[in-house]
Amino acid sequence: RHPARRAVLPPPVRQLAREEETMAALGMSATAGAGVAARAGQCANRRSRVAAAAGATIKDEAKAREPLEKSSLFNAKFVPFDDVLSGNSSGESYEVDQIIYRSQTGGLLDVQHDMESLAIYDANYWKALFDQRVGKTSWPYGSGVWSKKEWVLPQIPDDDIVSMFEGNSNLFWAERFGKETLGMSDLWVKQCGNSHTGSFKDLGMTALVSQVNHMRKRGMPIVGVGCASTGDTSAALSAYCAAADIPSIVFLPSNKISMAQLVQPVANNSLVLSMDTDFDGCMRLIREVTAELPIYLANSLNSLRLEGQKTAAIEILQQFDWQVPEWVIIPGGNLGNVYAFYKGFAMCKELGLVDRLPRMVVAQAANANPLYRAFVKGLDEEFESVKAQDTFASAIQIGDPVSIDRAIMALKATDGIVEEATEEELMDAAALADRTGMFNCPHTGVALAALIKLREKGVIAPSDRTVVVSTAHGLKFTQSKVAYHSGEIADMQCKYKNPPVETSDKFGDVMDVLREHLQMV
């Protein structure tokens, strides 16, 4: 398909490449099964070992690999989100290579895949293909995002992809927290923060920066990539742009993010503008700037990011051996991730990998809760933004979410629920869960607090398989944990605080403390 990009590899590598190509062709000649995909994976592993011994890189190997026989039919394009919402086609569409963020009417765009072409392969084939790629070093399929490349950005050349082998994050079985706090035996935490920059934003940024890299290689006039951020988006953007040698520009609200978040774009050589405004103000400014300068917009207004983020939902199903959990609880701020998870679940259902959707819960901080207020009032009523107040869950401190219509669609399609958590509730929930071996960010605390409330109300049953999405690593928010365990937060009891015990270096004093702590008196 791309003869100009074929690498000249040593004979043993070429032999294994031909073997894999044969297996791929066999996979298209009849209904594809797990055995074919597994055999192709074995060929790929052998080829990787031989290629490494011969001095070829994994990108060289990828260039020699033939695509799936019918992959030329796979395509993705931008369409108005209003078309997706209504189920009708206006005829308006754009190539993903175009620099465009809004439809002709000013609405959001959505990435639409040719589902009929994807359905050429049956559900068993997709399951087997995705399963055999997990955790491998084959470029780019070792990534949790690009292992689903055909469902993300099928047209992009492998050589243009910018990946740090993101995704493949673990599901943490919250055995003790579930049993002791909630009376649940099947509670799981999807640790999206166990990623290169410490948050789920890596999943979307690999897709967006890869597309930018592809467009720049084609000569499109993009001088850099910019975003407004509450912290995690800027960290992901700066890292992926640095890997691709693309300039990045970050607009941050001053004094609203943790030092751990701030240092990431600084270290990755981004141009960081700290502004005396909130996230909504930064978002307004970056939109104005990208309208005037050839800087590509990287916020979730750009639906390319959601294509990467949706793979976390597919990954959850894959980790449960394609069984659907009853509930998935997601912290919600700008709300793009809510829709991304819905898209992942919905694609799996449409292509027959699963037979139903999980019910979704969006958890919001009470200090930034526009979707919760809309849910209480009625999702069909006119939406009203709010002025977000300070919250420890700073990444979701957003009062006017860009993806509000997307999130409402996801909630309606999944019979979803919205719950809120006060500052004390979210910090206590995070601290209580930390006592059982977790190390939660405040946003995960919001989701855990929502779960506690829904269990108390009897909405979620003890036997319901439930997944809480942890969006970031707790190490990015140590300031809030230090404040909590020091008891320094005004008007907060911090009932699970565990400050260090000051004592002398005398043996007797140490023994007294140990006896008291271990209840050995």
Side-chain angles (χ1 to χ4, degrees):
R1 185 181 174 193
H2 300 292
R5 290 203 308 272
R6 274 190 176 277
V8 179
L9 297 179
V13 184
R14 291 201 298 272
Q15 179 182 346
L16 289 172
R18 286 194 295 271
E19 185 177 351
E20 188 182 51
E21 291 160 13
T22 300
M23 296 309 299
L26 286 173
M28 279 306 306
S29 64
T31 300
V36 172
R39 176 62 178 145
Q42 293 169 4
C43 293
N45 290 338
R46 288 172 56 205
R47 189 149 58 87
S48 294
R49 292 193 295 270
V50 175
T57 71
I58 55 175
K59 283 193 173 182
D60 293 328
E61 176 192 342
K63 292 173 185 177
R65 182 177 58 227
E66 285 295 321
L68 297 178
E69 186 179 338
K70 302 293 184 182
S71 62
S72 60
L73 299 177
F74 303 157
N75 69 85
K77 60 185 179 181
F78 289 127
V79 299
F81 176 72
D82 288 342
D83 287 11
V84 178
L85 193 59
S86 66
N88 300 315
S89 175
S90 65
E92 182 184 352
S93 67
Y94 308 91
E95 298 298 321
V96 292
D97 288 348
Q98 293 179 252
I99 302 175
I100 187 166
Y101 313 113
R102 293 280 191 179
S103 69
Q104 293 175 1
T105 60
L108 296 173
L109 296 172
D110 197 47
V111 176
Q112 183 181 77
H113 289 262
D114 185 342
M115 300 300 286
E116 290 185 3
S117 294
L118 291 173
I120 291 172
Y121 292 86
D122 70 1
N124 286 332
Y125 184 84
W126 287 121
K127 290 179 183 179
L129 184 68
F130 294 161
D131 286 348
Q132 68 91 1
R133 289 172 173 174
V134 169
K136 305 296 193 302
T137 55
S138 177
W139 182 268
Y141 301 142
S143 158
V145 172
W146 298 108
S147 65
K148 283 86 176 169
K149 179 189 174 185
E150 295 84 0
W151 291 23
V152 179
L153 291 175
Q155 297 127 305
I156 192 170
D158 290 346
D159 199 44
D160 293 349
I161 289 173
V162 183
S163 173
M164 300 179 185
F165 287 80
E166 54 287 308
N168 295 322
S169 60
N170 60 302
L171 272 172
F172 175 90
W173 181 34
E175 179 184 17
R176 189 178 158 211
F177 181 74
K179 180 180 179 180
E180 296 179 6
T181 304
L182 302 164
M184 301 178 71
S185 60
D186 210 0
L187 173 63
W188 301 80
V189 179
K190 178 62 171 170
Q191 298 281 12
C192 292
N194 290 348
S195 192
H196 181 72
T197 72
S199 87
F200 77 95
K201 300 295 178 73
D202 291 353
L203 305 178
M205 211 56 75
T206 182
L208 184 140
V209 175
S210 294
Q211 182 61 35
V212 171
N213 191 43
H214 174 59
M215 292 191 291
R216 279 167 57 96
K217 285 186 175 183
R218 294 183 61 201
M220 297 190 70
I222 300 173
V223 299
V225 188
C227 75
S229 180
T230 50
D232 291 332
T233 299
S234 64
L237 175 66
S238 60
Y240 282 85
C241 282
D245 195 21
I246 299 172
S248 58
I249 303 96
V250 172
F251 290 9
L252 297 174
S254 59
N255 302 317
K256 295 290 195 303
I257 68 171
S258 72
M259 286 302 297
Q261 290 172 304
L262 176 61
V263 76
Q264 289 179 282
V266 170
N268 287 139
N269 202 35
S270 284
L271 173 60
V272 178
L273 281 70
S274 180
M275 300 180 170
D276 186 20
T277 183
D278 58 10
F279 170 81
D280 297 316
C282 290
M283 188 68 219
R284 174 181 55 79
L285 285 164
I286 193 67
R287 286 168 64 177
E288 292 175 358
V289 167
T290 54
E292 293 294 325
L293 297 174
I295 297 171
Y296 195 79
L297 180 64
N299 285 94
S300 57
L301 172 65
N302 187 325
S303 55
L304 283 173
R305 270 181 46 198
L306 306 187
E307 292 305 292
Q309 289 168 211
K310 77 184 180 188
T311 61
I314 303 169
E315 204 168 87
I316 287 171
L317 299 176
Q318 187 176 11
Q319 288 170 310
F320 284 132
D321 198 19
W322 306 104
Q323 300 298 307
V324 183
E326 277 70 38
W327 297 92
V328 175
I329 305 175
I330 306 174
N334 218 18
L335 303 179
N337 211 30
V338 176
Y339 181 62
F341 269 71
Y342 164 70
K343 282 195 77 174
F345 292 134
M347 280 191 78
C348 286
K349 183 174 183 293
E350 185 172 349
L351 290 170
L353 280 71
V354 297
D355 59 2
R356 64 181 178 87
L357 302 175
R359 293 187 69 183
M360 294 180 68
V361 178
V362 181
Q364 291 208 295
N367 283 3
N369 63 350
L371 182 60
Y372 174 76
R373 296 186 187 195
F375 179 77
V376 171
K377 186 172 63 173
L379 293 177
D380 290 324
E381 299 296 318
E382 183 176 356
F383 173 75
E384 296 180 7
S385 62
V386 302
K387 177 67 174 177
Q389 305 301 310
D390 287 346
T391 171
F392 284 105
S394 57
I396 57 175
Q397 186 179 318
I398 298 169
D400 190 13
V402 167
S403 294
I404 181 64
D405 293 334
R406 292 166 169 164
I408 288 174
M409 176 185 175
L411 287 168
K412 289 182 177 180
T414 62
D415 189 22
I417 295 172
V418 187
E419 188 55 87
E420 68 172 354
T422 66
E423 293 301 287
E424 188 156 18
E425 287 170 340
L426 73 89
M427 292 298 285
D428 282 346
L432 182 59
D434 285 354
R435 288 185 167 209
T436 66
M438 299 187 228
F439 193 71
N440 293 294
C441 68
H443 319 87
T444 307
V446 175
L448 292 170
L451 170 60
I452 292 170
K453 288 184 172 183
L454 293 173
R455 276 291 297 122
E456 290 173 346
K457 295 175 183 177
V459 175
I460 294 178
S463 59
D464 285 351
R465 173 172 283 178
T466 301
V467 178
V468 171
V469 177
S470 178
T471 53
H473 202 292
L475 286 172
K476 300 182 82 168
F477 299 91
T478 53
Q479 291 165 290
S480 64
K481 288 187 179 294
V482 169
Y484 181 91
H485 288 288
S486 300
E488 297 173 353
I489 303 174
D491 302 319
M492 188 176 294
Q493 183 181 351
C494 303
K495 62 181 176 180
Y496 300 113
K497 66 178 182 246
N498 182 33
V501 177
E502 298 289 340
T503 185
S504 74
D505 60 352
K506 295 180 180 179
F507 178 78
D509 291 342
V510 172
M511 290 298 292
D512 288 343
V513 171
L514 292 177
R515 288 192 183 97
E516 181 180 358
H517 180 76
L518 299 175
Q519 298 180 345
M520 295 173 61
V521 177

